[in-house]
Amino acid sequence: AGSLIAKSLQFHADVTLIDPKEYFEIPWASLRSMVEPSFAERSLIYHKDYLTNGRLVVSKAISISNSQVLTAEGRLFTFEYLVIATGHNDDFPKTRSERLKEFKIENEEIRAANTILIVGGGPTGVELAAEIAVDFPEKRVILVHSGSRLLEFIGPKAANRTLDWLKSKRVEVKLQCSVDLNESSYETKTYVTSSGETIKADCLFVCTGKPTGSAWLKETAFKDSLDSFGRLKVDENFRVKGHTNVFAVGDITDVKESKQGYLAQKHALMAAKNLKVLMSGEKETKMASYKPQTIKVIVSLGRRDAAAQYPWTTLIGRVPGLNQSKGFICR
């Protein structure tokens, strides 16, 4: 969302993009990159390649006032308008080359493993299990999830059909089960589940939820704008409530809808449109209003299939897979 806004506004304003890394990563391509590292060459894009008329600051923002942002190096940046798009916490390396190296290491671990344990049955865990099962059918893949069904943010029909698909690929799914990582032994590669079962796995991937990227805001003038989940409260124009010149988009917001990439893009485009209205001096009534989107979810299942939940139906297989694959064509 942040990258799209910077790209959209770079010829309409003096734009500064502050990001702790030098590249933009297409989030829904990262799991494919783990099984096919060369795919990351297309899905990791230098900020400078699309931000041709803006300023890039490779650093973390650590504090904020009503008119300035402070970075980890102690640099202050004054703004007339600000967009906060810090999403969820991802501890990615600073340089693109380091991130590419991470994908290669993960791929080597997958290739060398006989048994792979994945903890977490949300979209990340499910998609990773599917990617490995399709590309490496000889591997034993075990998916452990604490919930009563996979993909709990979508309907049970889509979740059950996804479970059936995984089982058809010989993925072992253990529901209502957790792994105590503190009691597990990384040296002996032994993991104990809440049911008392011991799993020997050569490779472990933890795909549980990540915290919202808002910790840095809790000691700032925006602390009262955070809800109990650490998300920024925004109005229908994506302005942070209580602030007329500060916008927030993407996963960091309290918009009541699923946190998905295509929705973050919608946030960004509308916020960019509204910023243009304000910068041009037009009346605030000209700003567009956003309505939370009716749930549409597509979860990739390997290279060709996907599980899709639309407001009117649930599909699984090649048809939604073709739709999802369009997002993997990186330019």
Side-chain angles (χ1 to χ4, degrees), residues 139-159:
K139 308 289 185 186
R140 183 189 180 197
V141 180
I142 304 170
L143 176 61
V144 175
H145 182 54
S146 59
S148 59
R149 61 181 175 88
L150 300 173
L151 305 172
E152 291 166 289
F153 67 103
I154 65 175
K157 185 176 180 181

Side-chain angles (χ1 to χ4, degrees), residues 29-41 43 103-104 107:
S30 60
L31 300 177
R32 176 70 52 80
S33 298
M34 291 171 66
V35 299
E36 184 186 338
S38 61
F39 195 79
E41 294 284 351
S43 62
F103 283 127
K104 290 179 181 178
N107 180 257

Side-chain angles (χ1 to χ4, degrees), residues 30 32-41 44 96-112 136 205:
S30 60
R32 176 70 52 80
S33 298
M34 291 171 66
V35 299
E36 184 186 338
S38 61
F39 195 79
E41 294 284 351
L44 300 181
R96 182 176 182 271
S97 61
E98 289 173 323
R99 184 62 172 143
L100 289 171
K101 185 178 179 180
E102 281 189 347
F103 283 127
K104 290 179 181 178
I105 291 172
E106 289 169 335
N107 180 257
E108 290 168 1
E109 290 176 349
I110 291 171
R111 288 182 177 277
F136 303 97
F205 293 105

Side-chain angles (χ1 to χ4, degrees), residues 12-312:
H12 299 272
D14 179 10
V15 174
T16 299
L17 174 64
I18 300 175
D19 192 84
K21 55 192 188 311
E22 65 181 13
Y23 58 93
F24 163 66
E25 178 170 342
I26 298 174
W28 48 85
S30 60
L31 300 177
R32 176 70 52 80
S33 298
M34 291 171 66
V35 299
E36 184 186 338
S38 61
F39 195 79
E41 294 284 351
R42 290 178 289 159
S43 62
L44 300 181
I45 302 162
Y46 284 113
H47 288 309
K48 64 182 181 182
D49 286 347
Y50 68 85
L51 191 66
T52 57
N53 196 49
R55 181 185 302 105
L56 173 63
V57 178
V58 181
S59 181
K60 278 190 175 182
I62 62 171
S63 189
I64 182 176
S65 69
N66 290 319
S67 61
Q68 291 182 315
V69 174
L70 175 66
T71 67
E73 288 77 26
R75 298 174 67 188
L76 277 172
F77 293 89
T78 301
F79 62 84
E80 291 177 83
Y81 296 98
L82 173 70
V83 180
I84 302 173
T86 47
H88 282 82
N89 275 342
D90 283 306
D91 191 21
F92 290 150
K94 181 177 181 178
T95 68
R96 182 176 182 271
S97 61
E98 289 173 323
R99 184 62 172 143
L100 289 171
K101 185 178 179 180
E102 281 189 347
F103 283 127
K104 290 179 181 178
I105 291 172
E106 289 169 335
N107 180 257
E108 290 168 1
E109 290 176 349
I110 291 171
R111 288 182 177 277
N114 292 314
T115 300
I116 298 164
L117 174 61
I118 299 171
V119 178
T124 302
V126 167
E127 290 190 356
L128 179 58
E131 291 282 353
I132 296 173
V134 168
D135 273 35
F136 303 97
E138 75 282 2
K139 308 289 185 186
R140 183 189 180 197
V141 180
I142 304 170
L143 176 61
V144 175
H145 182 54
S146 59
S148 59
R149 61 181 175 88
L150 300 173
L151 305 172
E152 291 166 289
F153 67 103
I154 65 175
K157 185 176 180 181
N160 291 336
R161 295 185 72 176
T162 300
L163 175 62
D164 291 340
W165 187 95
L166 289 172
K167 287 182 175 179
S168 74
K169 302 299 182 184
R170 298 176 49 245
V171 175
E172 300 174 35
V173 180
K174 300 179 185 294
L175 297 174
Q176 294 183 295
C177 186
S178 59
V179 175
D180 188 340
L181 298 176
N182 294 322
E183 294 296 323
S184 301
S185 173
Y186 294 95
E187 292 182 359
T188 61
K189 301 180 186 290
T190 302
Y191 307 94
V192 180
T193 70
S194 55
S195 63
E197 180 184 1
T198 298
I199 298 174
K200 295 275 290 185
D202 308 298
C203 193
L204 168 70
F205 293 105
V206 179
C207 300
T208 51
K210 298 173 183 176
T212 304
S214 59
W216 68 289
L217 294 169
K218 293 178 180 178
E219 301 300 325
T220 71
F222 291 80
K223 61 182 178 181
D224 294 330
S225 299
L226 297 169
D227 68 9
S228 59
F229 297 100
R231 298 174 302 202
L232 281 166
K233 293 178 279 189
V234 296
D235 62 18
E236 67 276 8
N237 310 125
F238 289 111
R239 287 193 292 189
V240 176
K241 290 184 177 178
H243 300 269
T244 58
N245 65 330
V246 179
F247 289 69
V249 290
D251 290 0
I252 192 70
T253 69
D254 69 338
V255 177
K256 292 178 174 57
E257 60 188 9
S258 62
K259 304 302 182 183
Q260 294 200 291
Y262 83 97
L263 293 176
Q265 290 177 321
K266 287 180 178 291
H267 293 191
L269 292 174
M270 184 169 286
K273 180 179 179 180
N274 288 339
L275 279 160
K276 290 175 185 177
V277 168
L278 293 178
M279 289 187 296
S280 65
E282 293 187 61
K283 294 180 179 179
E284 292 188 8
T285 54
K286 296 285 188 179
M287 290 195 294
S289 297
Y290 184 81
K291 293 182 180 179
Q293 302 293 296
T294 303
I295 188 166
K296 178 184 79 172
V297 179
I298 301 180
V299 178
S300 292
L301 299 173
R303 291 180 176 270
R304 297 184 178 182
D305 294 349
Q309 176 178 285
Y310 301 100
W312 61 90

